[in-house]
Amino acid sequence: MKLSLFIATLVSVSLAGCFANSDGVVTCGSLESSDDVRCSPPPNPLPANTTCASASCDVPPPSCPESEVPLVDDTGCYTGACISFRSCDVAPPCNTLNTEALCSERAECEAVYGGINCRDPQGNACDASGDASTCTCEAFVFARCGLAE
Protein backbone atom coordinates (compact mmCIF):
# COMPACT_ATOMS: atom_id res chain seq x y z
CA MET A 1 0.00 0.00 0.00
CA LYS A 2 2.83 2.42 0.77
CA LEU A 3 4.35 1.75 -2.66
CA SER A 4 1.16 2.74 -4.50
CA LEU A 5 0.92 5.95 -2.46
CA PHE A 6 4.53 6.77 -3.39
CA ILE A 7 3.83 6.19 -7.09
CA ALA A 8 0.77 8.44 -6.98
CA THR A 9 2.87 11.16 -5.37
CA LEU A 10 5.49 10.90 -8.12
CA VAL A 11 2.83 11.27 -10.78
CA SER A 12 1.46 14.44 -9.23
CA VAL A 13 4.98 15.79 -8.79
CA SER A 14 5.84 15.42 -12.44
CA LEU A 15 2.69 17.34 -13.40
CA ALA A 16 3.36 20.18 -10.97
CA GLY A 17 6.89 21.00 -12.22
CA CYS A 18 10.08 21.38 -10.21
CA PHE A 19 11.90 24.49 -9.13
CA ALA A 20 15.36 24.74 -7.51
CA ASN A 21 16.16 27.57 -5.12
CA SER A 22 19.62 29.09 -4.64
CA ASP A 23 20.47 26.48 -1.96
CA GLY A 24 19.93 23.63 -4.42
CA VAL A 25 16.71 22.49 -2.75
CA VAL A 26 14.32 21.22 -5.40
CA THR A 27 10.61 21.72 -4.80
CA CYS A 28 8.17 19.54 -6.73
CA GLY A 29 4.62 20.49 -5.88
CA SER A 30 4.70 20.49 -2.07
CA LEU A 31 7.65 18.09 -1.76
CA GLU A 32 11.23 19.23 -1.14
CA SER A 33 14.36 17.26 -1.90
CA SER A 34 18.08 17.97 -2.23
CA ASP A 35 18.42 14.87 -4.43
CA ASP A 36 18.77 15.05 -8.19
CA VAL A 37 15.07 15.15 -9.06
CA ARG A 38 14.16 14.82 -12.74
CA CYS A 39 11.11 16.66 -13.96
CA SER A 40 10.30 19.21 -16.60
CA PRO A 41 10.03 22.88 -15.74
CA PRO A 42 6.63 24.37 -16.49
CA PRO A 43 6.29 26.08 -19.86
CA ASN A 44 6.35 29.87 -19.92
CA PRO A 45 2.64 30.70 -20.34
CA LEU A 46 3.20 34.38 -21.19
CA PRO A 47 3.14 35.44 -24.83
CA ALA A 48 6.47 36.79 -26.12
CA ASN A 49 7.36 40.35 -25.06
CA THR A 50 4.63 40.58 -22.40
CA THR A 51 4.58 40.86 -18.62
CA CYS A 52 2.13 41.27 -15.74
CA ALA A 53 3.97 44.40 -14.52
CA SER A 54 2.47 47.88 -14.22
CA ALA A 55 1.52 49.65 -17.41
CA SER A 56 3.21 52.97 -18.11
CA CYS A 57 0.85 54.38 -20.76
CA ASP A 58 -2.54 56.04 -20.33
CA VAL A 59 -4.56 53.28 -22.00
CA PRO A 60 -7.10 51.84 -19.52
CA PRO A 61 -6.74 48.13 -18.65
CA PRO A 62 -9.09 45.61 -20.22
CA SER A 63 -11.82 44.04 -18.13
CA CYS A 64 -10.43 40.63 -17.21
CA PRO A 65 -12.30 37.52 -16.05
CA GLU A 66 -12.12 36.68 -12.37
CA SER A 67 -8.59 35.71 -11.18
CA GLU A 68 -6.97 37.02 -14.36
CA VAL A 69 -4.87 40.15 -14.82
CA PRO A 70 -4.12 42.25 -17.92
CA LEU A 71 -0.93 41.71 -19.90
CA VAL A 72 1.44 44.59 -20.65
CA ASP A 73 3.61 44.63 -23.78
CA ASP A 74 7.24 45.70 -24.01
CA THR A 75 6.15 49.30 -24.76
CA GLY A 76 4.43 49.49 -21.35
CA CYS A 77 0.84 49.42 -22.67
CA TYR A 78 -1.94 46.93 -22.05
CA THR A 79 -2.26 44.38 -24.85
CA GLY A 80 -6.00 43.86 -24.30
CA ALA A 81 -5.36 40.23 -23.30
CA CYS A 82 -5.62 38.71 -19.82
CA ILE A 83 -3.87 35.77 -18.14
CA SER A 84 -4.24 33.87 -14.87
CA PHE A 85 -2.42 35.81 -12.16
CA ARG A 86 -0.66 32.58 -11.15
CA SER A 87 1.05 32.50 -14.57
CA CYS A 88 2.63 35.93 -14.11
CA ASP A 89 6.34 36.56 -14.32
CA VAL A 90 6.14 39.27 -11.62
CA ALA A 91 3.61 40.17 -8.94
CA PRO A 92 0.79 42.05 -10.72
CA PRO A 93 -0.07 45.55 -9.45
CA CYS A 94 -2.73 45.64 -6.73
CA ASN A 95 -5.19 47.57 -8.93
CA THR A 96 -5.30 44.68 -11.43
CA LEU A 97 -6.33 42.04 -8.86
CA ASN A 98 -10.06 41.56 -9.35
CA THR A 99 -11.08 39.30 -6.45
CA GLU A 100 -11.07 39.86 -2.71
CA ALA A 101 -9.12 36.62 -2.18
CA LEU A 102 -6.31 37.64 -4.55
CA CYS A 103 -6.14 41.10 -3.03
CA SER A 104 -6.00 39.72 0.52
CA GLU A 105 -3.06 37.42 -0.32
CA ARG A 106 -0.76 40.42 -0.79
CA ALA A 107 0.41 42.47 2.22
CA GLU A 108 0.87 45.64 0.14
CA CYS A 109 -2.69 45.45 -1.22
CA GLU A 110 -5.95 46.39 0.47
CA ALA A 111 -9.51 45.41 -0.42
CA VAL A 112 -11.88 48.33 -0.96
CA TYR A 113 -15.59 47.74 -0.41
CA GLY A 114 -18.70 49.45 -1.78
CA GLY A 115 -22.03 49.78 -0.02
CA ILE A 116 -25.31 48.33 -1.28
CA ASN A 117 -28.65 50.08 -0.73
CA CYS A 118 -27.17 52.89 1.36
CA ARG A 119 -29.54 55.39 3.02
CA ASP A 120 -29.16 58.49 5.15
CA PRO A 121 -31.34 59.00 8.29
CA GLN A 122 -34.07 60.61 6.12
CA GLY A 123 -34.21 57.53 3.84
CA ASN A 124 -32.48 59.14 0.87
CA ALA A 125 -29.89 57.23 -1.13
CA CYS A 126 -26.34 58.11 -0.13
CA ASP A 127 -22.75 57.20 -0.88
CA ALA A 128 -21.09 55.03 1.77
CA SER A 129 -17.69 56.43 0.80
CA GLY A 130 -18.79 59.79 2.20
CA ASP A 131 -19.58 60.45 5.86
CA ALA A 132 -20.14 56.95 7.27
CA SER A 133 -21.95 58.31 10.33
CA THR A 134 -24.85 59.55 8.19
CA CYS A 135 -24.98 56.68 5.69
CA THR A 136 -26.15 53.16 6.53
CA CYS A 137 -25.83 50.32 4.03
CA GLU A 138 -27.56 46.93 3.88
CA ALA A 139 -24.31 45.22 2.89
CA PHE A 140 -20.81 45.81 1.58
CA VAL A 141 -19.16 43.99 -1.33
CA PHE A 142 -15.64 43.89 -2.73
CA ALA A 143 -15.30 46.77 -5.19
CA ARG A 144 -11.59 46.85 -6.08
CA CYS A 145 -8.07 46.26 -4.85
CA GLY A 146 -5.78 49.15 -4.01
CA LEU A 147 -2.46 49.83 -2.32
CA ALA A 148 -2.56 49.52 1.47
CA GLU A 149 -1.96 52.79 3.28
Side-chain angles (χ1 to χ4, degrees):
M1 186 63 159
K2 287 183 183 179
L3 181 58
S4 63
L5 177 61
F6 180 71
I7 291 170
T9 302
L10 287 179
V11 170
S12 67
V13 165
S14 66
L15 295 175
C18 296
F19 307 92
N21 68 17
S22 59
D23 298 327
V25 174
V26 177
T27 302
C28 293
S30 61
L31 303 176
E32 286 188 1
S33 170
S34 57
D35 297 333
D36 183 19
V37 177
R38 307 267 185 222
C39 61
S40 301
N44 183 359
L46 294 176
N49 303 317
T50 63
T51 182
C52 295
S54 296
S56 57
C57 68
D58 292 334
V59 176
S63 178
C64 295
E66 192 170 288
S67 299
E68 291 190 6
V69 295
L71 284 173
V72 176
D73 65 20
D74 54 2
T75 68
C77 289
Y78 292 110
T79 66
C82 301
I83 194 165
S84 166
F85 85 100
R86 299 223 187 267
S87 299
C88 286
D89 56 337
V90 296
C94 294
N95 66 347
T96 63
L97 302 175
N98 58 14
T99 68
E100 183 178 15
L102 293 180
C103 187
S104 300
E105 285 181 14
R106 304 256 306 275
E108 72 276 17
C109 299
E110 179 176 63
V112 178
Y113 299 90
I116 297 175
N117 294 326
C118 302
R119 301 281 176 200
D120 66 14
Q122 290 76 36
N124 301 313
C126 61
D127 182 1
S129 63
D131 183 5
S133 64
T134 62
C135 195
T136 304
C137 303
E138 288 179 8
F140 288 89
V141 295
F142 175 77
R144 63 182 175 82
C145 188
L147 280 174
E149 294 181 20

